[in-house]
Amino acid sequence: MRDNSSATTIIRPVIPCRSAPGLWWGLLGVAAFSFTVPFTRVAVGGLSPLFIGSGRAVVAAILAASALALTRQRLPRGRQWARLALVAAGIVVGFPLLTSFALTTVPASHGAVVIALLPAATATAAVLRGRDRPPIAFWLVTGVGAVAAIAFAVAQSGNAAQSGGFGQAGWADVLLLGAVIAAAIGYAEGGLLARELGAWQTVSWALVMASPLMAGLAALSMSQQPPAASPLQWVAFAYLGVVSMFFGFFAWYRGLAIGPMAKVSQIQLIQPVMSICWAALLLGESLDLTTVIGGLAVIVCAGAAVRVRLQPEPAQQNRRGSPERRDHQPPQPATR
C-alpha cells in the first residue's frame, strides 16, 4: 500500500526553460543584423550609397506590403500614422542612408564600433519618450559610452589625418552617429507603437509608408549612376533588402514577444562583436588595438546602461510587486 500510495510518491514535473526559445529567436535576429555593416561595405564597392540605402528599403517594402495584404492586417488609425512616420524616418530612411554613405570611406569594423552605441542610445530615447526617471548611474554610463565612441572616432580620424583623409573620416563618423540617433528614435517609438499594431506589423507599415520616397530616391540614383556591380555585390545588396530590412525583424521581434524582453533585448550587445568578426573574416580587415579597445569600451558601457535601465526602482517594486510577477503581465498601451 505504501509503495502504491500517491501521497508518498514524489513527482518532479519537468519545467522547461521558457526563456530559451525567446533567446534563440533573439540570437537569430541579431545574427542576421550583424552582417548588415560588412555587407553594406561590400555593396558600396560597386553601387552608389544612395541606391543601396533607398533600394534595399524598396525591396523590403514589397515584401512588407505582400505580408500585410496576405494576413489582412488592419490599417493604422489617427495619430498612429504620424508615429509610423517617425519610425520610418529613423529605421527606414535615416539609418540605411547614413550608414551607406559613411561606409564608403571607413572600414566595416570602424562602423561597427560606433554603431555599438545603439543599445544605450535606444535606452536613452526610450527614457526620454516615456518620461521615465532613471537613476544617475544610467546617465553616467551612457555618457561614458558616448565619450568612448567619440574618442575612438577622433583617434581613428587622427590616424587618417596623417594620410590626408581626415575630412572624409570625420564626416563618416558624423554620419554614423547620426545613424545611431535616427535608429534609436525609430526603435524607441516603434517599440511603443508595436504594443498597439504588433511588432512586425509596425516595421512593415513603416516600410510601406516610406516606399514612395525611397522609390523616388532609388530612381534618382539610377538616373545619375546606373547600377553596375559584381554578382557578389548584388548578393550583398539582396541580403540588405531581404534579411536586414525585413526577415531579420521577424526573428528579432518574435524573440522579444516570447521574452522575457529584458533578457532578449540584451542580446543586441553582441551584435557589434559579431560584425567586427565578420569584417575580419569576410573582408580581411585587420583589427588594430584601437579598434579592439574602443569596441570593448563602448559595448561594456552600453551593456551597463541597458542593465541599469532595466532595473526597477525600489519604490516601484513596493508599489507594483516583484519583477517576476510583472513579467507575466501583458504589455500596457503606450501613454500618449
Side-chain angles (χ1 to χ4, degrees), residues 72-85 189 193 196-198 201-202 205 209 336:
R72 297 181 180 180
Q73 298 296 316
R74 67 176 179 85
L75 290 172
R77 302 174 183 175
R79 290 185 57 190
Q80 291 176 341
W81 287 109
R83 297 168 64 190
L84 277 171
E189 188 63 40
L193 193 55
E196 304 171 18
L197 298 177
Q201 293 90 334
T202 298
W205 283 118
M209 173 176 275
R336 295 177 179 268

Side-chain angles (χ1 to χ4, degrees), residues 10-327:
I10 300 177
I11 301 176
R12 299 182 181 274
V14 177
I15 303 177
C17 180
R18 298 182 61 183
S19 63
L23 293 174
W24 281 112
W25 278 108
L27 182 61
L28 180 61
V30 166
F33 295 145
S34 67
F35 287 96
T36 300
V37 173
F39 281 174
T40 301
R41 180 64 177 171
V42 172
V44 296
L47 300 170
S48 70
L50 180 59
F51 177 79
I52 295 171
S54 57
R56 61 189 271 193
V58 173
V59 172
I62 295 174
L63 298 175
S66 302
L68 291 171
L70 290 174
T71 56
R72 297 181 180 180
Q73 298 296 316
R74 67 176 179 85
L75 290 172
R77 302 174 183 175
R79 290 185 57 190
Q80 291 176 341
W81 287 109
R83 297 168 64 190
L84 277 171
L86 185 61
V87 176
I91 65 175
V92 180
V93 180
F95 185 84
L97 286 175
L98 293 174
T99 53
S100 296
F101 278 99
L103 290 172
T104 59
T105 56
V106 296
S109 57
H110 180 105
V113 171
V114 179
I115 295 175
L117 274 174
L118 185 55
T122 303
T124 302
V127 166
L128 297 176
R129 176 63 176 85
R131 298 180 181 179
D132 295 337
R133 295 182 179 179
I136 297 178
F138 170 81
W139 299 111
L140 289 176
V141 294
T142 300
V144 172
V147 170
I150 294 173
F152 167 79
V154 170
Q156 292 289 321
S157 298
N159 294 336
Q162 297 178 0
S163 59
F166 176 77
Q168 292 183 344
W171 277 112
D173 290 323
V174 172
L175 294 177
L176 289 171
L177 291 174
V180 169
I181 295 173
I185 295 174
Y187 280 151
E189 188 63 40
L192 294 175
L193 193 55
R195 300 176 182 177
E196 304 171 18
L197 298 177
W200 70 267
Q201 293 90 334
T202 298
V203 178
S204 296
W205 283 118
L207 287 165
V208 171
M209 173 176 275
S211 60
L213 172 62
M214 305 309 278
L217 292 177
L220 176 62
S221 66
M222 293 172 63
S223 65
Q224 294 178 346
Q225 180 181 341
S230 66
L232 179 60
Q233 290 164 346
W234 280 115
V235 169
F237 172 79
Y239 184 93
L240 295 174
V242 176
V243 180
S244 295
M245 289 289 289
F246 190 65
F247 283 116
F249 282 102
F250 276 69
W252 175 242
Y253 281 125
R254 178 170 176 79
L256 292 177
I258 297 175
M261 187 177 296
K263 291 183 179 180
V264 176
S265 62
Q266 294 182 60
I267 299 178
Q268 192 181 20
L269 296 171
I270 68 174
Q271 181 176 327
V273 179
M274 299 176 69
S275 296
I276 293 174
C277 292
W278 298 138
L281 293 175
L282 301 178
L283 307 180
E285 295 184 0
S286 59
L287 302 180
D288 54 15
L289 185 60
T290 303
T291 301
V292 175
I293 295 176
L296 290 177
V298 174
I299 292 168
V300 168
C301 291
V306 173
R307 285 182 175 273
V308 172
R309 172 70 180 87
L310 294 175
Q311 290 177 356
E313 298 178 2
Q316 293 178 343
Q317 290 187 14
N318 294 334
R319 290 195 304 267
R320 302 179 185 178
S322 63
E324 289 78 7
R325 293 179 61 87
R326 293 200 308 274
D327 283 345

